Amino acid sequence: MTRRGLSGLVLLGALLALSDLHVAWGQPPPPAIEGLDKLTPEERAIAERNLERWQRLTPDERARALENYRQWRSMTPEEREAARQNYRRFRQLTPDQRAQILKDFQRWNELPKERQQELQKAYERWQRLPQERRDRIQQRLNQWEAMTPEERDRVLRNQERWRQMTPEQREQIRERWRQMPPEERERLRQQRRGQQ
């Protein structure tokens, strides 16, 4: 091999070793893609496979996409499958139902983190309740929603009176109720319904 050919080969090898393939092949380097340098190799590979979409994203959208991807990667296989099923169910909803869910989701995201944590804990407590207790609560909620504004007002006034009672007064009322014959309890219930 000639000296000139050897020096060219060494230069090509050096360029390749320095990973500057574009210069080695005499082509201009591709434009720098904002944000790729901050990604892990795996994340960078995904972004490069979807390069056009990545380039169209704003910096905020890129950050959100990256956060979503990292969250997905941190999920267990069971959590991922549950997410896939939720997505399938979401796609089967009517456009109005999907719009309502997205609106609710936006409201959730606008809540302060402390409030989100409170609601998450309340939901977890709800999930731990026995099914029959959850059914009774749901039944009462349905009854509440079926009430007229006047009926709700009466219930709230009664509830306020109950709160103002001493524990002893409450226990006396409970004891009288327990000692009452079932027919008498039903008569009082009917009487209250008739006053509504």
Side-chain angles (χ1 to χ4, degrees), residues 175-187:
E175 187 57 35
R176 272 190 285 177
W177 183 260
R178 281 191 288 262
Q179 291 178 0
M180 210 178 276
E183 303 81 29
E184 182 66 16
R185 285 188 221 167
E186 186 57 33
R187 188 186 64 74

Side-chain angles (χ1 to χ4, degrees), residues 46 65-85 87:
I46 291 171
L66 189 56
E67 176 58 33
N68 289 342
Y69 173 75
R70 289 175 178 164
Q71 184 177 358
W72 178 261
R73 297 290 298 167
S74 71
M75 294 167 76
T76 66
E78 294 81 16
E79 291 170 329
R80 288 182 192 175
E81 184 53 34
R84 285 184 191 102
Q85 289 175 5
Y87 181 71

Side-chain angles (χ1 to χ4, degrees), residues 40-68:
T40 67
E42 181 183 2
E43 294 166 347
R44 189 176 309 119
I46 291 171
E48 288 172 348
R49 281 196 306 265
N50 299 287
L51 197 54
E52 286 182 28
R53 287 173 54 192
W54 180 261
Q55 289 173 323
R56 284 193 306 258
L57 297 176
T58 67
D60 286 344
E61 290 170 332
R62 288 178 186 169
R64 196 168 43 254
L66 189 56
E67 176 58 33
N68 289 342

Side-chain angles (χ1 to χ4, degrees), residues 15 17 53 64 78 82 90 98 122 131 139 142 161 171:
L15 289 173
R53 287 173 54 192
R64 196 168 43 254
E78 294 81 16
F90 178 78
R98 286 196 302 260
Q131 186 62 46
Q139 179 186 15
N142 293 343
R161 265 189 302 227
E171 187 53 39

Side-chain angles (χ1 to χ4, degrees), residues 89-192:
R89 281 195 300 267
F90 178 78
R91 299 299 302 161
Q92 292 173 351
L93 297 174
T94 66
D96 288 343
Q97 291 170 323
R98 286 196 302 260
Q100 183 61 49
I101 287 174
L102 292 174
K103 181 180 172 186
D104 292 344
F105 187 67
Q106 181 179 356
R107 284 183 29 220
W108 170 264
N109 285 332
E110 291 170 355
L111 290 174
K113 290 292 179 203
E114 302 79 32
R115 182 65 179 141
Q116 286 181 2
Q117 290 170 352
E118 286 174 27
L119 291 172
Q120 183 65 35
K121 287 177 184 173
Y123 176 74
E124 289 166 4
R125 281 193 309 271
W126 168 261
Q127 290 296 99
R128 287 190 302 267
L129 289 175
Q131 186 62 46
E132 72 176 42
R133 177 85 172 115
R134 291 193 327 211
D135 291 344
R136 277 197 316 266
I137 292 171
Q138 186 65 50
Q139 179 186 15
R140 289 183 180 154
L141 176 62
N142 293 343
Q143 288 172 342
W144 173 262
E145 290 176 342
M147 287 181 183
T148 65
E150 295 79 21
E151 291 169 332
R152 288 181 187 179
D153 188 48
R154 182 186 55 77
V155 169
L156 292 174
R157 282 193 315 270
N158 288 342
Q159 187 179 28
E160 186 56 37
R161 265 189 302 227
W162 181 261
R163 283 190 186 132
Q164 291 176 1
M165 290 180 186
T166 66
E168 294 80 21
Q169 290 171 322
R170 290 182 197 159
E171 187 53 39
Q172 288 172 353
I173 290 174
R174 285 186 190 111
E175 187 57 35
R176 272 190 285 177
W177 183 260
R178 281 191 288 262
Q179 291 178 0
M180 210 178 276
E183 303 81 29
E184 182 66 16
R185 285 188 221 167
E186 186 57 33
R187 188 186 64 74
L188 286 173
R189 284 188 187 111
Q190 293 298 327
Q191 184 180 358
R192 268 189 271 164

